[in-house]
Amino acid sequence: MKKNAVFLRQAEASDIDALEQLLNRCYRQTEGWTNEADLVGGIRITQDELANTIANPKHYLFVYPKTTTGEREGEETGELLGCIAVDIKVDAAANKGDGNKKAYIGMFAVHPELQGHGVGHQILQAAETFAQRHLQSDIEATDEKPARLTMSILSHRPELLAYYQRRGYQLNGNKMPFPMDGNNGEPKRQDLELLELEKIVNT
């Protein structure tokens, strides 16, 4: 896919239905190579969770809308071809030298029919650029500590881990058991974990 062919805008409340369909399809159905259907059943996300994310001023959810022309200027059809979220996590302590300035990247999905064509790479790159710029604006210029981009992936997904490693992310040793509260699906194996990846960036 040609460079800069993907265009993003911030999600709105009117996108919730399409976002729910996209995320649950990409994560829970057997389409595409990024799905988790063999590891987790049930829903990936609810409309209430999406509404809370969109309303959170520190949580930015971006969508790649389908248009009648395939271009930004075209009329949107109501379908979404991709999405990604950036959760800015900067607090006052970051300026006291503990390096606690980071952005968490999540809700990353690309329509199954577009996977493998460079769409995900462009979406991730755009989210990373946004996060770096936002962190830079939130941190005092005298703070020279690097910022971190973090994300979590399921264990037992070596191909997904390799995808992110090729893009500069590394396991940082942090992990936690998959939540058993049912809010994000039902694990299909007992040893399922969430592994944290991080990428150090200069702001």
Side-chain angles (χ1 to χ4, degrees):
M1 193 168 191
K2 64 181 181 180
K3 189 177 181 181
N4 299 325
V6 174
F7 48 93
L8 301 176
R9 64 165 172 79
Q10 201 160 340
E12 303 170 352
S14 58
D15 295 314
I16 289 177
D17 284 346
L19 276 165
E20 181 188 32
Q21 292 177 27
L22 177 69
L23 286 162
N24 285 317
R25 178 177 181 178
C26 291
Y27 281 86
R28 297 294 182 257
Q29 302 301 316
T30 55
E31 302 173 90
W33 73 273
T34 63
N35 75 80
E36 303 169 348
D38 290 340
L39 298 174
V40 184
I43 62 171
R44 169 62 176 83
I45 200 164
T46 66
Q47 292 201 0
D48 285 344
E49 288 174 306
L50 286 167
N52 290 336
T53 297
I54 291 172
N56 187 334
K58 283 293 186 181
H59 204 143
Y60 301 87
L61 180 53
F62 299 100
V63 297
Y64 172 26
K66 183 177 182 179
T67 67
T68 52
T69 63
E71 304 291 338
R72 184 187 298 270
E73 294 75 19
E75 182 180 351
E76 293 189 16
T77 66
E79 185 179 0
L80 297 178
L81 302 176
C83 63
I84 196 165
V86 179
D87 188 7
I88 303 295
K89 298 179 179 294
V90 177
D91 55 36
N95 291 326
K96 297 178 181 178
D98 70 351
N100 186 28
K101 52 177 182 176
K102 62 183 178 180
Y104 179 83
I105 295 176
M107 291 193 209
F108 184 19
V110 175
H111 193 287
E113 293 179 4
L114 295 182
Q115 291 179 18
H117 297 283
V119 174
H121 175 72
Q122 291 189 48
I123 291 177
L124 179 59
Q125 195 169 51
E128 291 176 338
T129 299
F130 172 83
Q132 286 179 255
R133 291 175 178 171
H134 208 293
L135 289 170
Q136 186 176 40
S137 67
D138 280 0
I139 298 297
E140 292 180 355
T142 55
D143 183 7
E144 297 180 353
K145 282 186 174 294
R148 293 181 296 146
L149 304 180
T150 66
M151 62 174 63
S152 296
I153 66 169
L154 287 178
S155 56
H156 310 289
R157 293 295 311 279
E159 71 287 356
L160 194 59
L161 175 59
Y163 172 86
Y164 287 119
Q165 286 177 327
R166 290 194 298 270
R167 283 151 184 80
Y169 290 84
Q170 297 296 330
L171 292 167
N172 63 9
N174 295 335
K175 58 184 179 179
M176 61 175 289
F178 188 88
M180 302 295 287
D181 55 15
N183 291 332
N184 298 106
E186 302 292 339
K188 295 183 178 181
R189 52 186 300 165
Q190 295 297 314
D191 60 347
L192 198 61
E193 295 179 312
L194 291 173
L195 309 178
E196 188 175 79
L197 305 179
E198 70 176 36
K199 179 178 182 178
I200 305 299
V201 295
N202 293 318
T203 52

